[in-house]
Amino acid sequence: MDLKDRLDGFFEERRIFLHAVLPLSDCIVTDAALLEKEAPGARTAILYVLPYLTGRTEEHNISLYAQSGDYHLLIRKTNGELADFLQSLLPGASFAGFGDRSPFDERRTFASAGLGVLGDNGLLITKRYGSFAFLGEVITDADPALLGAAGTSSPAGCLHCGACKSACPTHFEDCASGYSQKKGELTGKEKEAVLKTGLVWGCDLCQTVCPLNRNAEASPLPFFYEDRVAVLTKARLDAMSRKELRARAFGWRGRQPLLRNLALFEDAKKEEKKV
Ligand code: SF4
Ligand code: SF4
């Protein structure tokens, strides 16, 4: 069995069905200093997709991506296992894992690898799972040919149907998800945009209206089905320890933005009742 087959087996075992190997020359590097620091002599990137949609249609006020435990934990675990696995096969090589904070423009690099297309909403719309996916990568100084690197394809675009922009509370001038995560007070315009998302954390509107997401498959990864918080209430938040909160994707900014957003929706509900 060659290295490529072994690598395919690694991903298959973990039910990660979208992955690719690219020579570094085909990756879109946006942070050369980070690349040099963490992965000197890099020649190859191993890219993989972690879909998070559970297919559940439960009531929620937390963005779909943040309802499970913090996805960074899964990326870190997968990167560690992948690096260890490859190290055992290529003892002389070095490996560095990334996800979110990456030396690449991840979306364009993954699109170049044929793993999806770039949406006008700024997201990578993957082949099987739509845009409901996290991206991770391990970079190595090993020869790309050894790992079965494939050629790139030109990044295709989306349908340019405009549905995402029409649904966006700011019409893409800014992002209400960012507002919901800001610390401190929100301006009137920011409050209005957060209320339109219907969520106390994040925003899914430009994803849920996208026709390319219509047939997005549910995630095969157990991580996204465990320990979920789809509806956050003040009581639920008050009961969470600092440590618990930090282990959630919606907890990295602390309690204050969540309490403020919960109060915002509460006030809006009271106003509605008065009318
Ligand atoms: S996440 Fe929401 S606010 Fe942000 S760009 Fe998409 S639709 Fe607009
Ligand atoms: S909603 Fe339409 S324009 Fe927006 S990303 Fe999807 S296909 Fe592209």
Side-chain angles (χ1 to χ4, degrees), residues 123-226:
L123 300 172
L124 177 81
I125 305 170
T126 69
K127 277 178 180 167
R128 293 173 61 165
Y129 309 107
S131 54
F132 306 104
F134 300 114
L135 312 177
E137 59 265 358
V138 164
I139 302 175
T140 173
D141 53 6
D143 184 344
L146 266 182
L147 292 158
T152 54
S153 49
S154 331
C158 66
L159 304 174
H160 308 302
C161 66
C164 49
K165 192 172 177 184
S166 304
C168 175
T170 72
H171 293 284
F172 286 172
E173 270 174 32
D174 210 335
C175 183
S177 177
Y179 299 158
S180 76
Q181 300 177 33
K182 255 178 71 168
K183 285 190 175 180
E185 281 307 302
L186 298 181
T187 65
K189 189 184 114 201
E190 289 168 344
K191 284 181 188 168
E192 205 182 304
V194 170
L195 284 170
K196 281 186 187 158
T197 69
L199 303 176
V200 297
W201 184 265
C203 171
D204 294 322
L205 293 172
C206 60
Q207 297 199 80
T208 48
V209 298
C210 175
L212 297 179
N213 273 337
R214 216 161 277 153
N215 298 317
E217 288 178 36
S219 176
L221 305 169
F223 178 88
F224 295 107
Y225 295 82
E226 295 158 1

